[in-house]
Amino acid sequence: MPESVSPSPSSPLAQADPVARPDLVAQDAQQAPVAFPPGFLWGAATSAYQIEGAVREGGRTPSIWDTFSHTPGRTAGGETGDIAVDHYHRYRDDVRMMADLGLTAYRFSVSWSRVQPTGRGPAVQVGLDFYRRLVDELLAHGIKPAVTLYHWDLPQELEDAGGWPERDTAQRFAEYAQIVGEALGDRVENWITLNEPWCSAFLGYGSGVHAPGRTDPVASLRAAHHLNLAHGLATSALRSAMPARNQIAVSLNSAVVRPLSQDPADLAAARRIDDLANGVFHGPMLHGSYPASLLSATSSVTDWSYVLDGDLRTIKAPLNALGLNYYTPALVSAAPGEPKGPRADGHGASAHSPWPGADDVLFHQTPGERTEMGWTVDPTGLYDLITRYSREAPGLPLYITENGAAYDDKPGPDGQVHDPERIAYLHAHLAAVHRALADGADVRGYYLWSLMDNFEWAYGYEKRFGAVYVDYETLERTPKSSARWYGEAARAGVLPGAGSGD
Ligand code: FCB
């Protein structure tokens, strides 16, 4: 962990290290098979708008992603999720495919506008029935479902009423959580309130590369707070709606922020980005407060007056687990007086910064091999992230709720899709998870992003993250060699060699 993001003495980070697992350490040291604990979940993840299609069926109304993707110039090639990979109609085959591969868990999201089209009022049973059938199908195949309530697709009507910068959206989200909890809580144990609230707040309302495409720094910070509040309210609503055995978590894309040098200015820049990427969410969620350094660094942008009495208590609703999504680390330095240019943030370029109050921080490309997204492959970052959150949230089980890579996959002359780079990526990252386990981290499962190629937001269909290849003409699914490699790992609970499977 870089010094810049190391804990203040009062933070739980300063508490005792987790207890190392010598049984797992020995395996690595002897180059013996990298074996995971029994019961470890081997999953894949998706989200509703990226795979379902059927956007006008069953009473579903537009979400902000329907509006955004249909606005010229917002997505690569003007692509939309109208059809996506038609999972809404093909879910039975998709579940069978997961079972055939050997997966033991599946993380998917519920489309809010499918179950509560205007974002308020009574639920549409047809919408809920789709998810009931999907869950029943998963359970019948021995696959453990994990439901994400919000993966970025706010009903458009709620955006028209002000969206996440407005407090009422958090209340609406709690009502929706209650509906879904009551409908699925008897059969789904693993729950995730929000997926990557950083993207919703800062890409959606700051840089504008995600829906709804607004570029207003104040709105982005207001959105962050109301997403936090939504998480807290929804956590309590879910608890009251579901059996006590169910586990509630949130999935954060907590950044691994590294300073370019040990120069105090670079360390301070890394601290600032760490606050804006991580502390702004885990501060209130885990510790019941926003970091003082965040409040002062953003004081020229906002006065935070929308944080009302009692909010922080609500947001700190107890959790059963924490989900971490990891792709690549960030490398930053101070750049006082640096001219502001277009900013690439990994999800697209914009003239507007997704980092309010940090215009003088420069982002650098981490050296090393890159994926098709231009993201550096750095498994050590995953290890660092896990060990950091083992200390940040002592006693809270962790799940890697997303990790994966896009490559330019194509079927070969044999009709098969060979993706040795993805196998190497998965091997290295799972080995990093294993190393963290051996060092005492409590990681309970790993969800590969993604089950199959899908609509990659502003990039349209151009970036393929799937372990399963999708032919966008025919929508035919073909497991890539990485899917077979991963399935073999899932069945055995042991990593096959990186060279096997292809
Ligand atoms: C994450 C998102 C997921 C997908 C991957 C590549 O930030 O949660 O939907 O876009 O990145």
Side-chain angles (χ1 to χ4, degrees):
M1 188 197 314
E3 208 182 301
S4 61
V5 294
S6 63
S8 64
S10 62
S11 108
L13 275 156
Q15 294 182 10
D17 272 350
V19 182
R21 300 265 313 259
D23 49 330
L24 298 175
V25 179
Q27 289 169 7
D28 276 348
Q30 295 161 11
Q31 297 288 306
V34 181
F36 285 72
F40 186 84
L41 294 182
W42 297 84
T46 62
S47 87
Y49 191 69
Q50 294 180 276
I51 64 165
E52 284 181 4
V55 292
R56 278 174 281 275
E57 285 182 47
R60 183 188 179 280
T61 54
S63 75
I64 54 176
W65 266 98
D66 295 83
T67 310
F68 189 77
S69 64
H70 278 272
T71 306
R74 291 305 205 168
T75 65
E79 282 163 344
T80 73
D82 284 4
I83 299 173
V85 297
D86 195 33
H87 171 74
Y88 185 77
H89 297 116
R90 295 166 194 245
Y91 72 93
R92 281 205 171 84
D93 293 343
D94 289 339
V95 172
R96 192 170 337 108
M97 179 178 74
M98 282 185 242
D100 289 348
L101 287 170
L103 305 194
T104 62
Y106 176 54
R107 170 179 176 237
F108 64 93
S109 80
V110 171
S111 154
W112 188 344
S113 29
R114 219 180 261 300
V115 306
Q116 210 188 14
T118 60
R120 57 183 90 232
V124 169
Q125 290 306 318
V126 187
L128 286 172
D129 284 345
F130 167 68
Y131 297 106
R132 286 192 185 103
R133 289 196 305 272
L134 170 61
V135 167
D136 289 347
E137 203 68 19
L138 289 164
L139 294 173
H141 284 84
I143 298 172
K144 193 167 186 151
V147 167
T148 306
L149 288 173
Y150 186 73
H151 201 124
W152 307 351
D153 44 359
L154 186 72
Q156 182 61 43
E157 274 201 36
L158 292 185
E159 173 59 22
D160 295 343
W164 286 114
E166 293 309 317
R167 192 176 178 85
D168 184 56
T169 307
Q171 294 292 350
R172 303 280 65 78
F173 183 67
E175 195 179 294
Y176 156 69
Q178 172 103 22
I179 290 171
V180 184
E182 279 167 6
L184 302 179
D186 60 339
R187 54 200 100 178
V188 175
E189 277 177 32
N190 288 357
W191 291 77
I192 292 158
T193 54
L194 304 174
N195 177 69
E196 301 191 354
W198 184 84
C199 295
S200 302
F202 297 105
L203 301 183
Y205 295 90
S207 69
V209 299
H210 277 190
R214 288 206 243 160
T215 53
D216 172 354
V218 179
S220 69
L221 288 162
R222 290 179 62 103
H225 178 63
H226 295 132
L227 282 154
N228 280 329
L229 187 62
H231 159 79
L233 291 168
T235 300
S236 305
L238 284 175
R239 289 252 183 259
S240 67
M242 308 194 304
R245 64 167 186 276
N246 291 355
Q247 310 275 303
I248 305 175
V250 61
S251 284
L252 301 177
N253 51 326
S254 292
V256 175
V257 187
R258 297 182 177 143
L260 188 63
S261 78
Q262 293 303 305
D263 184 297
D266 289 349
L267 295 174
R271 164 94 255 171
R272 212 125 45 92
I273 296 305
D274 186 65
D275 281 344
L276 284 165
N278 302 326
V280 65
F281 299 108
H282 79 229
M285 287 179 184
L286 301 177
H287 312 313
S289 61
Y290 285 104
S293 46
L294 169 74
L295 302 181
S296 62
T298 52
S299 61
S300 61
V301 182
T302 183
D303 61 5
W304 293 86
S305 54
Y306 37 88
V307 181
L308 304 188
D309 276 358
D311 283 4
L312 293 168
R313 213 173 27 252
T314 304
I315 297 168
K316 200 182 167 228
L319 292 176
N320 305 102
L322 183 65
L324 300 173
N325 295 358
Y326 173 78
Y327 291 91
T328 193
L331 184 62
V332 304
S333 68
E338 195 64 32
K340 285 185 228 161
R343 322 269 304 216
D345 48 38
H347 280 274
S350 166
H352 301 271
S353 170
W355 305 103
D359 282 342
D360 53 347
V361 175
L362 214 56
F363 284 73
H364 304 265
Q365 181 76 46
T366 312
E369 190 195 316
R370 301 192 208 166
T371 70
E372 210 35 40
M373 296 293 281
W375 297 348
T376 305
V377 178
D378 189 335
T380 308
L382 180 55
Y383 174 85
D384 292 346
L385 186 67
I386 295 170
T387 49
R388 179 203 185 158
Y389 277 94
S390 296
R391 298 196 189 92
E392 191 83 50
L396 206 57
L398 304 176
Y399 288 86
I400 305 309
T401 40
E402 283 182 31
N403 176 238
Y407 290 106
D408 185 18
D409 308 307
K410 292 184 185 70
D414 57 356
Q416 299 296 311
V417 184
H418 299 280
D419 58 343
E421 309 91 338
R422 186 171 289 99
I423 294 178
Y425 182 100
L426 295 176
H427 189 281
H429 286 79
L430 280 158
V433 173
H434 187 266
R435 195 153 62 84
L437 278 167
D439 289 348
D442 183 9
V443 187
R444 303 278 176 95
Y446 173 96
Y447 296 85
L448 154 69
W449 184 272
S450 180
L451 172 65
M452 53 193 159
D453 295 334
N454 59 48
F455 176 74
E456 180 47 38
W457 309 113
Y459 291 94
Y461 294 95
E462 159 185 303
K463 307 290 183 205
R464 292 181 177 272
F465 273 93
V468 172
Y469 181 85
V470 177
D471 177 329
Y472 289 120
E473 297 294 313
T474 61
L475 295 175
E476 191 190 339
R477 280 85 158 127
T478 307
K480 303 176 191 176
S481 37
S482 61
R484 284 191 294 274
W485 181 91
Y486 186 64
E488 207 185 306
R491 284 178 202 280
V494 175
L495 293 191
S500 69
D502 215 32

